[in-house]
Each structure stands twice: as structure tokens, then as C-alpha cells.
Amino acid sequence: MSQQERREAAVRQLLDAGGPAPVPPDLHTDAVRRGAGMLRRRTVLRRAGWLLLLAAVLAFAVWAADARPWTEPPSRTTPPLTRW
């Protein structure tokens, strides 16, 4: 008997065994509890990410208003005097 024939026989045996496998009675409650926890964690992480992004944008805005990186910095040396 080849490997494929053994696999087919195993699948036929599983299908002929009858209805679906028994499910534990508390499976639904556990799934709902775990799903609610995952959803809560995801919501908290999403809110924390938005707060971090907002803080970064606010810090950048305060720095940019104070440092004014778009203006030319004042010259540190005086130009040479040519007429005297």
C-alpha cells in the first residue's frame, strides 16, 4: 500500500466515523473571554499609539516655533569693511 493510499484510507476512516467531534461545553465562554481580552489590549495599544503620535507632533510644533528652522541663522562674523 502506497503512502497516498494510506492517507486516503485514513481520511475515509475519519469521514466514516460519524458526526462531528464532541466540543467541550465551556469552549464558547473561553473563546469569548479571550477574544474580549485581545480586543481590549488592541484598543489600549491603539490609543497609546495615537497619544504617542500626538505628543510627538506637539513636541515638534513647540520646537519648531521656538527654533524657527526655516529662517536663515544670523551671521556670526561681520562682513569685511571695504570703504574707509
Side-chain angles (χ1 to χ4, degrees):
M1 190 182 271
S2 71
Q3 181 72 18
Q4 185 176 358
E5 290 173 349
R6 274 186 255 146
R7 287 182 185 169
E8 288 176 2
V11 169
R12 279 193 200 98
Q13 183 181 6
L14 286 173
L15 291 175
D16 291 339
V23 177
D26 59 340
L27 181 67
H28 177 263
T29 358
D30 287 344
V32 168
R33 183 178 45 80
R34 287 181 183 177
M38 288 173 52
L39 186 61
R40 209 173 307 117
R41 272 190 300 276
R42 188 178 301 154
T43 304
V44 166
L45 285 174
R46 187 180 303 124
R47 285 182 184 168
W50 279 111
L51 282 174
L52 183 64
L53 180 65
L54 178 67
V57 167
L58 186 63
F60 176 77
V62 168
W63 170 81
D66 184 44
R68 297 180 186 232
W70 55 87
T71 60
E72 188 175 324
S75 177
R76 297 197 186 265
T77 60
T78 57
L81 292 174
T82 54
R83 293 188 212 164
W84 250 66

